[in-house]
Amino acid sequence: MRLRSALPRRPPRDMIASAGGAAVFSLSHGLASLALPLLALRAGYSGVDVGVLTAIAAVSQLLIRLVLGKLMRIFPDWTLIAAAGLLLAASNGLVVISTAVVPFVIAELLQGGARALFWTGSQTHVVRRAPSSVGALATVNFYSSTGLLFGPVLAGVLSERSPQVALGVGAGIALVSVIPPLLMDRLPPFAKPPDRPPGGIWRRPGVDAGCWAGVSAGAWRGLIGSYVPVALDQARQSSSTIGVLVSVANGASVAGSVLVGRVRRGAWLTWSYAVATLATGAATALVALLAGSVWGAGIALAVSGLGAGVLQTVGPAIATDAVHPEERGEAIAVAGTFRAGALFLAPLGTAGLIMTAPLSLAMGVMGVLIALPVVTARRLHHHVRATPEAGRGAEPGHAPVDKEMP
């Protein structure tokens, strides 16, 4: 017997609210991702300090993601998205008041928590009634990435005057992002499946590949928010130029999400996963070496962003399509946990490397590590071939889900 979704077709109001909320929140996040490291540098923090501060933001993101699977069985996803906007507003506003160490650390922790709640809540919301997880995630990633595209440009322009001005504007934008979640459809919290397979969900075929995709995409994002601006600043690029170059990376990420959103077949998802992982790692490894050239750095950032955009869409899609519908929130949360771990370790690892090696070599090493998860592509390929329903929401031990809406 084939099961049909118990949720009705997604109304236009909900689609507009989801897209608008993603764009506004990400605009504030994109602004902060550049303004925070620039503010730290202007306030006298060293390059190592910037890496450590960025890694701190990933700590709270990691800790919150560890419990999000359980929280989504208690709270509706729209409440998580609204809370994310409040946390981001508080984060941006705090460093406007003071750039001392304690306020800076608290601001980074709040930003990490906001990112965890937003990404998990928004992605979970859109896949629950979607005929295609890849397509739904590509849509929300597209609108999120538009904010990340224009945010750094705005931050670069405003930071010519002062990074604190940029972050003050970012705090106001984050407050506006609280409004769209209030207009979203009130979907119920997840229920625990009665016949849940034993063991950790992250070990299941398909989910594991989604987690490793999150590792590569998360490491890339961690470097974009920390040592990419540092490398460009050390190469004597202006704040405005840095903002444009970071936006090039984010713009390419938009393109990657859009392109992979058209992919439906499992075999093509596997190839997309493998190629994107290699491209992200190889291009990231070259960014610091090419930082003195606007065109060279721009091309490297564009290629790395294209690959990361594919991975941040394919990863959660592979994970959610491999589990029971009531486990989709948990699958997205666990894939996000791996992403948060990489967000923490990539800047921290780079900070450790540059204590004994040039930044160009340190980022080269990180690029190689970003590409390493490509070795899991073969296992994913075998899983897709051995599981006819893979990529369509089926889970061993559960009936496949009919994605046709009633």
Side-chain angles (χ1 to χ4, degrees):
M1 177 184 296
R2 298 181 69 83
L3 302 177
R4 289 185 180 272
S5 172
L7 297 173
R9 186 182 295 273
R10 193 176 181 194
R13 173 183 53 79
D14 184 70
M15 295 170 60
I16 294 171
S18 296
V24 176
F25 178 90
S26 296
L27 178 63
S28 178
H29 175 213
L31 188 153
S33 68
L34 178 64
L36 273 176
L38 288 180
L39 177 60
L41 292 172
R42 301 295 188 272
Y45 293 94
S46 68
V48 174
D49 294 334
V50 171
V52 173
L53 286 169
T54 304
I56 287 173
V59 171
S60 62
Q61 184 173 178
L62 179 61
L63 293 176
I64 290 177
R65 284 187 185 273
L66 287 173
V67 299
L68 270 176
K70 295 180 180 178
L71 288 178
M72 283 187 290
R73 295 196 178 104
I74 302 173
F75 301 102
D77 42 40
W78 70 269
T79 62
L80 303 181
I81 302 171
L86 294 175
L87 291 181
L88 186 59
S91 171
N92 290 341
L94 189 59
V95 287
V96 172
I97 299 172
S98 173
T99 58
V101 174
V102 173
F104 227 117
V105 169
I106 295 174
E108 293 282 4
L109 290 172
L110 290 174
Q111 187 193 110
R115 280 153 43 186
L117 293 175
F118 171 77
W119 285 109
T120 303
S122 60
Q123 290 179 341
T124 297
H125 188 83
V126 298
V127 301
R128 296 185 72 177
R129 293 180 298 188
S132 165
S133 295
V134 178
L137 289 168
T139 299
V140 73
N141 286 341
F142 170 76
Y143 286 104
S144 298
S145 296
T146 57
L148 292 175
L149 174 63
F150 294 108
V153 174
L154 180 60
V157 172
L158 294 175
S159 293
E160 294 286 354
R161 179 177 178 183
S162 169
Q164 286 171 306
V165 171
L167 289 163
V169 173
I173 296 173
L175 286 176
V176 175
S177 74
V178 177
I179 299 174
L182 303 179
L183 305 176
M184 289 180 178
D185 197 35
R186 302 296 197 258
L187 301 182
F190 286 97
K192 188 173 182 179
D195 52 347
R196 176 185 173 93
I201 193 172
W202 62 273
R203 296 182 178 179
R204 300 185 199 175
V207 180
D208 58 350
C211 291
W212 286 116
V215 168
S216 294
W220 177 82
R221 177 58 63 188
L223 294 175
I224 287 293
S226 59
Y227 283 104
V228 167
V230 170
L232 295 172
D233 185 74
Q234 289 182 355
R236 300 183 183 279
Q237 304 290 356
S238 68
S239 296
S240 297
T241 301
I242 295 172
V244 171
L245 288 172
V246 171
S247 288
V248 166
N250 289 325
S253 178
V254 176
S257 292
V258 171
L259 289 174
V260 80
R262 300 178 179 273
V263 177
R264 296 291 186 269
R265 296 177 57 188
W268 282 105
L269 284 178
T270 302
W271 279 106
S272 299
Y273 167 72
V275 173
T277 303
L278 288 174
T280 304
T284 300
L286 297 174
V287 170
L289 285 173
L290 301 174
S293 167
V294 173
W295 286 104
I299 292 172
L301 287 169
V303 173
S304 68
L306 189 67
V310 171
L311 291 175
Q312 72 180 14
T313 301
V314 167
I318 292 172
T320 57
D321 285 343
V323 300
H324 187 279
E326 291 296 333
E327 294 178 306
R328 285 183 165 187
E330 185 178 357
I332 287 178
V334 74
T337 300
F338 276 74
R339 185 178 188 272
L343 274 168
F344 170 72
L345 292 175
L348 191 63
T350 307
L353 288 171
I354 64 174
M355 295 178 70
T356 57
L359 179 57
S360 57
L361 177 59
M363 288 195 65
V365 172
M366 297 309 299
V368 172
L369 294 177
I370 287 173
L372 275 182
V374 73
V375 300
T376 64
R378 180 178 292 274
R379 182 183 179 189
L380 175 61
H381 178 66
H382 290 322
H383 167 65
V384 170
R385 292 186 61 185
T387 311
E389 295 292 337
R392 290 185 291 176
E395 167 68 15
H398 297 290
V401 178
D402 188 345
K403 294 304 182 68
E404 295 179 5
M405 296 299 177

